[in-house]
Amino acid sequence: MAALTFSHIGITVPDLEKAVEFYSKAFGLYVLMEPTEILHDESAIGQMCDDVFGEGWGSFRIAHLSMGDGVGIELFEFPKTVEEERPFEYWRRGLFHFCVQDEDLEGRIKVIEDLGGRQRMSQVRKYYPGEKPYRMVYMEDPFGNIFELYSHSYELTYSAGAYD
């Protein structure tokens, strides 16, 4: 079987409009579908949501954005979603970050911070100081969701000789 390609990631946020503004401007994403309310009903999407969320989910709001390579970001706002400070429990099972790529990390960091995000690390780090120009940094969106920025592709960063 051929290797799969990445389609999208779903992120739950407490303020959908603010999230659409942040991700579209911070990452340069295309807005495919503006914030839209989804209701529990007999429609195809209603039935899909029953399968995922179980009976009684009621409603939620969603927006669809796309990166330059076609990978999507789905943003969700549920009625029970609240703005809250949560501890960074990286050891818990499940996703704790996703990663996007920009050769100009410092420029991208400034845009992200200007839009309410923040840098989690004290500085941009180099994977192979003095050998390769590969850099990385962990960031947060305005809601505390964690993501990473790479200067180069995942393949280049971890290809043969990465840990020589």
mmCIF file of all heavy atoms in Angstrom, residues 96-128:
data_model
loop_
_atom_site.group_PDB
_atom_site.id
_atom_site.type_symbol
_atom_site.label_atom_id
_atom_site.label_comp_id
_atom_site.label_asym_id
_atom_site.label_seq_id
_atom_site.Cartn_x
_atom_site.Cartn_y
_atom_site.Cartn_z
ATOM 1 N N PHE A 96 -0.178 16.433 21.138
ATOM 2 C CA PHE A 96 0.141 17.602 21.935
ATOM 3 C C PHE A 96 0.648 18.750 21.081
ATOM 4 O O PHE A 96 0.792 19.869 21.577
ATOM 5 C CB PHE A 96 1.089 17.278 23.104
ATOM 6 C CG PHE A 96 2.553 17.195 22.762
ATOM 7 C CD1 PHE A 96 3.344 18.342 22.736
ATOM 8 C CD2 PHE A 96 3.147 15.984 22.505
ATOM 9 C CE1 PHE A 96 4.694 18.268 22.444
ATOM 10 C CE2 PHE A 96 4.489 15.897 22.212
ATOM 11 C CZ PHE A 96 5.265 17.039 22.186
ATOM 12 N N HIS A 97 0.887 18.516 19.787
ATOM 13 C CA HIS A 97 1.233 19.622 18.898
ATOM 14 C C HIS A 97 1.118 19.182 17.445
ATOM 15 O O HIS A 97 1.019 18.001 17.154
ATOM 16 C CB HIS A 97 2.648 20.143 19.170
ATOM 17 C CG HIS A 97 3.741 19.300 18.598
ATOM 18 N ND1 HIS A 97 4.188 18.154 19.216
ATOM 19 C CD2 HIS A 97 4.477 19.428 17.471
ATOM 20 C CE1 HIS A 97 5.161 17.618 18.486
ATOM 21 N NE2 HIS A 97 5.344 18.362 17.418
ATOM 22 N N PHE A 98 1.115 20.157 16.568
ATOM 23 C CA PHE A 98 1.275 19.919 15.136
ATOM 24 C C PHE A 98 2.378 20.853 14.678
ATOM 25 O O PHE A 98 2.812 21.733 15.431
ATOM 26 C CB PHE A 98 -0.037 20.130 14.361
ATOM 27 C CG PHE A 98 -0.574 21.537 14.415
ATOM 28 C CD1 PHE A 98 -0.268 22.443 13.407
ATOM 29 C CD2 PHE A 98 -1.391 21.949 15.449
ATOM 30 C CE1 PHE A 98 -0.763 23.741 13.438
ATOM 31 C CE2 PHE A 98 -1.897 23.240 15.492
ATOM 32 C CZ PHE A 98 -1.576 24.139 14.489
ATOM 33 N N CYS A 99 2.865 20.674 13.469
ATOM 34 C CA CYS A 99 4.003 21.459 13.012
ATOM 35 C C CYS A 99 3.746 22.007 11.610
ATOM 36 O O CYS A 99 3.193 21.309 10.754
ATOM 37 C CB CYS A 99 5.259 20.589 13.000
ATOM 38 S SG CYS A 99 6.765 21.483 12.578
ATOM 39 N N VAL A 100 4.132 23.263 11.409
ATOM 40 C CA VAL A 100 4.092 23.899 10.096
ATOM 41 C C VAL A 100 5.493 24.405 9.775
ATOM 42 O O VAL A 100 6.356 24.478 10.655
ATOM 43 C CB VAL A 100 3.044 25.029 10.026
ATOM 44 C CG1 VAL A 100 1.635 24.458 10.140
ATOM 45 C CG2 VAL A 100 3.272 26.071 11.096
ATOM 46 N N GLN A 101 5.711 24.759 8.540
ATOM 47 C CA GLN A 101 7.056 25.054 8.066
ATOM 48 C C GLN A 101 7.150 26.439 7.433
ATOM 49 O O GLN A 101 6.287 26.825 6.651
ATOM 50 C CB GLN A 101 7.418 23.982 7.032
ATOM 51 C CG GLN A 101 8.747 24.088 6.408
ATOM 52 C CD GLN A 101 8.931 22.981 5.384
ATOM 53 O OE1 GLN A 101 8.525 21.847 5.603
ATOM 54 N NE2 GLN A 101 9.519 23.323 4.256
ATOM 55 N N ASP A 102 8.201 27.169 7.792
ATOM 56 C CA ASP A 102 8.500 28.466 7.186
ATOM 57 C C ASP A 102 9.989 28.714 7.357
ATOM 58 O O ASP A 102 10.504 28.677 8.472
ATOM 59 C CB ASP A 102 7.696 29.579 7.866
ATOM 60 C CG ASP A 102 7.835 30.925 7.164
ATOM 61 O OD1 ASP A 102 8.774 31.128 6.372
ATOM 62 O OD2 ASP A 102 6.979 31.787 7.422
ATOM 63 N N GLU A 103 10.677 28.960 6.282
ATOM 64 C CA GLU A 103 12.117 29.201 6.353
ATOM 65 C C GLU A 103 12.441 30.444 7.182
ATOM 66 O O GLU A 103 13.469 30.512 7.842
ATOM 67 C CB GLU A 103 12.689 29.336 4.940
ATOM 68 C CG GLU A 103 14.178 29.174 4.889
ATOM 69 C CD GLU A 103 14.701 29.049 3.477
ATOM 70 O OE1 GLU A 103 14.209 28.172 2.743
ATOM 71 O OE2 GLU A 103 15.589 29.840 3.121
ATOM 72 N N ASP A 104 11.531 31.429 7.179
ATOM 73 C CA ASP A 104 11.724 32.659 7.948
ATOM 74 C C ASP A 104 11.035 32.535 9.310
ATOM 75 O O ASP A 104 10.000 33.148 9.561
ATOM 76 C CB ASP A 104 11.182 33.862 7.167
ATOM 77 C CG ASP A 104 11.342 35.182 7.905
ATOM 78 O OD1 ASP A 104 12.083 35.233 8.916
ATOM 79 O OD2 ASP A 104 10.708 36.161 7.476
ATOM 80 N N LEU A 105 11.612 31.728 10.202
ATOM 81 C CA LEU A 105 10.988 31.505 11.507
ATOM 82 C C LEU A 105 10.826 32.799 12.289
ATOM 83 O O LEU A 105 9.775 33.047 12.879
ATOM 84 C CB LEU A 105 11.807 30.518 12.348
ATOM 85 C CG LEU A 105 11.848 29.064 11.907
ATOM 86 C CD1 LEU A 105 12.516 28.218 12.982
ATOM 87 C CD2 LEU A 105 10.478 28.528 11.607
ATOM 88 N N GLU A 106 11.843 33.619 12.305
ATOM 89 C CA GLU A 106 11.787 34.855 13.085
ATOM 90 C C GLU A 106 10.683 35.783 12.588
ATOM 91 O O GLU A 106 9.961 36.388 13.390
ATOM 92 C CB GLU A 106 13.145 35.557 13.073
ATOM 93 C CG GLU A 106 14.246 34.816 13.819
ATOM 94 C CD GLU A 106 14.793 33.568 13.122
ATOM 95 O OE1 GLU A 106 14.554 33.385 11.903
ATOM 96 O OE2 GLU A 106 15.448 32.757 13.797
ATOM 97 N N GLY A 107 10.541 35.904 11.285
ATOM 98 C CA GLY A 107 9.459 36.714 10.720
ATOM 99 C C GLY A 107 8.099 36.159 11.057
ATOM 100 O O GLY A 107 7.168 36.895 11.411
ATOM 101 N N ARG A 108 7.956 34.847 10.984
ATOM 102 C CA ARG A 108 6.682 34.193 11.287
ATOM 103 C C ARG A 108 6.354 34.323 12.779
ATOM 104 O O ARG A 108 5.203 34.545 13.153
ATOM 105 C CB ARG A 108 6.731 32.723 10.875
ATOM 106 C CG ARG A 108 5.418 31.985 11.000
ATOM 107 C CD ARG A 108 4.351 32.503 10.087
ATOM 108 N NE ARG A 108 4.718 32.322 8.692
ATOM 109 C CZ ARG A 108 3.911 32.542 7.671
ATOM 110 N NH1 ARG A 108 2.661 32.932 7.886
ATOM 111 N NH2 ARG A 108 4.330 32.382 6.439
ATOM 112 N N ILE A 109 7.363 34.204 13.625
ATOM 113 C CA ILE A 109 7.148 34.365 15.066
ATOM 114 C C ILE A 109 6.575 35.743 15.358
ATOM 115 O O ILE A 109 5.638 35.883 16.145
ATOM 116 C CB ILE A 109 8.459 34.137 15.847
ATOM 117 C CG1 ILE A 109 8.849 32.664 15.812
ATOM 118 C CG2 ILE A 109 8.342 34.634 17.290
ATOM 119 C CD1 ILE A 109 10.268 32.376 16.266
ATOM 120 N N LYS A 110 7.115 36.764 14.727
ATOM 121 C CA LYS A 110 6.635 38.135 14.947
ATOM 122 C C LYS A 110 5.166 38.262 14.553
ATOM 123 O O LYS A 110 4.361 38.831 15.290
ATOM 124 C CB LYS A 110 7.482 39.139 14.185
ATOM 125 C CG LYS A 110 6.962 40.561 14.335
ATOM 126 C CD LYS A 110 7.984 41.600 14.068
ATOM 127 C CE LYS A 110 7.502 43.007 14.203
ATOM 128 N NZ LYS A 110 6.328 43.270 14.998
ATOM 129 N N VAL A 111 4.792 37.712 13.398
ATOM 130 C CA VAL A 111 3.395 37.752 12.953
ATOM 131 C C VAL A 111 2.506 37.042 13.968
ATOM 132 O O VAL A 111 1.453 37.557 14.357
ATOM 133 C CB VAL A 111 3.248 37.109 11.551
ATOM 134 C CG1 VAL A 111 1.790 36.914 11.189
ATOM 135 C CG2 VAL A 111 3.964 37.941 10.493
ATOM 136 N N ILE A 112 2.919 35.868 14.406
ATOM 137 C CA ILE A 112 2.134 35.082 15.361
ATOM 138 C C ILE A 112 1.963 35.840 16.668
ATOM 139 O O ILE A 112 0.862 35.915 17.220
ATOM 140 C CB ILE A 112 2.801 33.703 15.579
ATOM 141 C CG1 ILE A 112 2.627 32.855 14.311
ATOM 142 C CG2 ILE A 112 2.231 32.995 16.807
ATOM 143 C CD1 ILE A 112 3.508 31.623 14.252
ATOM 144 N N GLU A 113 3.037 36.427 17.167
ATOM 145 C CA GLU A 113 2.951 37.183 18.416
ATOM 146 C C GLU A 113 2.096 38.434 18.260
ATOM 147 O O GLU A 113 1.325 38.784 19.160
ATOM 148 C CB GLU A 113 4.356 37.546 18.909
ATOM 149 C CG GLU A 113 5.116 36.335 19.413
ATOM 150 C CD GLU A 113 6.533 36.619 19.851
ATOM 151 O OE1 GLU A 113 7.131 37.636 19.394
ATOM 152 O OE2 GLU A 113 7.070 35.820 20.643
ATOM 153 N N ASP A 114 2.189 39.099 17.114
ATOM 154 C CA ASP A 114 1.356 40.285 16.862
ATOM 155 C C ASP A 114 -0.131 39.948 16.842
ATOM 156 O O ASP A 114 -0.977 40.803 17.110
ATOM 157 C CB ASP A 114 1.747 40.962 15.548
ATOM 158 C CG ASP A 114 3.087 41.679 15.616
ATOM 159 O OD1 ASP A 114 3.629 41.864 16.740
ATOM 160 O OD2 ASP A 114 3.608 42.052 14.540
ATOM 161 N N LEU A 115 -0.453 38.689 16.533
ATOM 162 C CA LEU A 115 -1.847 38.242 16.473
ATOM 163 C C LEU A 115 -2.320 37.577 17.766
ATOM 164 O O LEU A 115 -3.407 37.024 17.827
ATOM 165 C CB LEU A 115 -2.037 37.283 15.291
ATOM 166 C CG LEU A 115 -1.918 37.929 13.915
ATOM 167 C CD1 LEU A 115 -1.747 36.865 12.829
ATOM 168 C CD2 LEU A 115 -3.137 38.795 13.637
ATOM 169 N N GLY A 116 -1.500 37.625 18.817
ATOM 170 C CA GLY A 116 -1.909 37.103 20.111
ATOM 171 C C GLY A 116 -1.337 35.750 20.479
ATOM 172 O O GLY A 116 -1.625 35.232 21.555
ATOM 173 N N GLY A 117 -0.530 35.148 19.600
ATOM 174 C CA GLY A 117 0.138 33.896 19.940
ATOM 175 C C GLY A 117 1.381 34.186 20.764
ATOM 176 O O GLY A 117 1.727 35.337 21.010
ATOM 177 N N ARG A 118 2.053 33.115 21.184
ATOM 178 C CA ARG A 118 3.277 33.333 21.948
ATOM 179 C C ARG A 118 4.301 32.237 21.687
ATOM 180 O O ARG A 118 3.945 31.101 21.348
ATOM 181 C CB ARG A 118 2.989 33.459 23.435
ATOM 182 C CG ARG A 118 2.751 32.171 24.173
ATOM 183 C CD ARG A 118 2.585 32.408 25.693
ATOM 184 N NE ARG A 118 2.598 31.153 26.411
ATOM 185 C CZ ARG A 118 3.681 30.600 26.963
ATOM 186 N NH1 ARG A 118 4.850 31.182 26.872
ATOM 187 N NH2 ARG A 118 3.591 29.449 27.609
ATOM 188 N N GLN A 119 5.561 32.596 21.871
ATOM 189 C CA GLN A 119 6.666 31.656 21.740
ATOM 190 C C GLN A 119 6.828 30.924 23.067
ATOM 191 O O GLN A 119 6.953 31.548 24.112
ATOM 192 C CB GLN A 119 7.940 32.435 21.387
ATOM 193 C CG GLN A 119 9.128 31.558 21.106
ATOM 194 C CD GLN A 119 10.313 32.361 20.586
ATOM 195 O OE1 GLN A 119 10.145 33.283 19.800
ATOM 196 N NE2 GLN A 119 11.506 32.001 21.021
ATOM 197 N N ARG A 120 6.822 29.591 23.033
ATOM 198 C CA ARG A 120 6.968 28.779 24.254
ATOM 199 C C ARG A 120 8.421 28.612 24.663
ATOM 200 O O ARG A 120 8.715 28.369 25.822
ATOM 201 C CB ARG A 120 6.395 27.373 24.032
ATOM 202 C CG ARG A 120 4.901 27.287 24.131
ATOM 203 C CD ARG A 120 4.464 25.840 24.259
ATOM 204 N NE ARG A 120 4.950 25.207 25.459
ATOM 205 C CZ ARG A 120 4.348 25.249 26.650
ATOM 206 N NH1 ARG A 120 3.233 25.913 26.799
ATOM 207 N NH2 ARG A 120 4.860 24.623 27.684
ATOM 208 N N MET A 121 9.322 28.646 23.722
ATOM 209 C CA MET A 121 10.738 28.406 23.985
ATOM 210 C C MET A 121 11.469 29.733 24.159
ATOM 211 O O MET A 121 11.053 30.751 23.617
ATOM 212 C CB MET A 121 11.348 27.609 22.830
ATOM 213 C CG MET A 121 10.709 26.242 22.642
ATOM 214 S SD MET A 121 11.240 25.392 21.150
ATOM 215 C CE MET A 121 12.968 25.092 21.511
ATOM 216 N N SER A 122 12.576 29.709 24.882
ATOM 217 C CA SER A 122 13.339 30.932 25.125
ATOM 218 C C SER A 122 13.980 31.469 23.852
ATOM 219 O O SER A 122 14.258 32.658 23.759
ATOM 220 C CB SER A 122 14.417 30.686 26.182
ATOM 221 O OG SER A 122 15.339 29.706 25.728
ATOM 222 N N GLN A 123 14.201 30.581 22.875
ATOM 223 C CA GLN A 123 14.811 31.001 21.612
ATOM 224 C C GLN A 123 14.564 29.951 20.531
ATOM 225 O O GLN A 123 14.193 28.826 20.827
ATOM 226 C CB GLN A 123 16.313 31.206 21.796
ATOM 227 C CG GLN A 123 17.054 29.942 22.193
ATOM 228 C CD GLN A 123 18.518 30.197 22.493
ATOM 229 O OE1 GLN A 123 19.101 31.148 22.013
ATOM 230 N NE2 GLN A 123 19.115 29.343 23.304
ATOM 231 N N VAL A 124 14.790 30.353 19.290
ATOM 232 C CA VAL A 124 14.768 29.403 18.174
ATOM 233 C C VAL A 124 15.989 28.497 18.343
ATOM 234 O O VAL A 124 17.083 28.972 18.632
ATOM 235 C CB VAL A 124 14.820 30.154 16.820
ATOM 236 C CG1 VAL A 124 15.000 29.181 15.670
ATOM 237 C CG2 VAL A 124 13.556 30.994 16.633
ATOM 238 N N ARG A 125 15.787 27.203 18.189
ATOM 239 C CA ARG A 125 16.879 26.237 18.368
ATOM 240 C C ARG A 125 17.321 25.666 17.021
ATOM 241 O O ARG A 125 16.514 25.486 16.118
ATOM 242 C CB ARG A 125 16.435 25.087 19.267
ATOM 243 C CG ARG A 125 16.083 25.506 20.666
ATOM 244 C CD ARG A 125 17.299 25.860 21.451
ATOM 245 N NE ARG A 125 16.956 26.230 22.817
ATOM 246 C CZ ARG A 125 17.850 26.547 23.712
ATOM 247 N NH1 ARG A 125 19.129 26.552 23.413
ATOM 248 N NH2 ARG A 125 17.473 26.893 24.926
ATOM 249 N N LYS A 126 18.615 25.338 16.929
ATOM 250 C CA LYS A 126 19.187 24.712 15.740
ATOM 251 C C LYS A 126 19.339 23.216 16.001
ATOM 252 O O LYS A 126 19.810 22.810 17.064
ATOM 253 C CB LYS A 126 20.543 25.322 15.419
ATOM 254 C CG LYS A 126 20.449 26.772 15.021
ATOM 255 C CD LYS A 126 21.816 27.342 14.704
ATOM 256 C CE LYS A 126 21.670 28.800 14.303
ATOM 257 N NZ LYS A 126 22.962 29.410 14.020
ATOM 258 N N TYR A 127 18.937 22.403 15.026
ATOM 259 C CA TYR A 127 19.089 20.959 15.152
ATOM 260 C C TYR A 127 20.544 20.534 15.053
ATOM 261 O O TYR A 127 20.983 19.642 15.757
ATOM 262 C CB TYR A 127 18.274 20.223 14.073
ATOM 263 C CG TYR A 127 16.857 19.966 14.489
ATOM 264 C CD1 TYR A 127 15.820 20.784 14.054
ATOM 265 C CD2 TYR A 127 16.542 18.912 15.320
ATOM 266 C CE1 TYR A 127 14.515 20.538 14.438
ATOM 267 C CE2 TYR A 127 15.243 18.660 15.719
ATOM 268 C CZ TYR A 127 14.231 19.481 15.271
ATOM 269 O OH TYR A 127 12.938 19.245 15.664
ATOM 270 N N TYR A 128 21.286 21.114 14.134
ATOM 271 C CA TYR A 128 22.666 20.721 13.881
ATOM 272 C C TYR A 128 23.551 21.968 13.820
ATOM 273 O O TYR A 128 23.989 22.364 12.744
ATOM 274 C CB TYR A 128 22.764 19.941 12.571
ATOM 275 C CG TYR A 128 21.704 18.868 12.457
ATOM 276 C CD1 TYR A 128 20.572 19.063 11.671
ATOM 277 C CD2 TYR A 128 21.819 17.676 13.157
ATOM 278 C CE1 TYR A 128 19.583 18.101 11.582
ATOM 279 C CE2 TYR A 128 20.835 16.706 13.080
ATOM 280 C CZ TYR A 128 19.724 16.926 12.286
ATOM 281 O OH TYR A 128 18.753 15.975 12.210
#
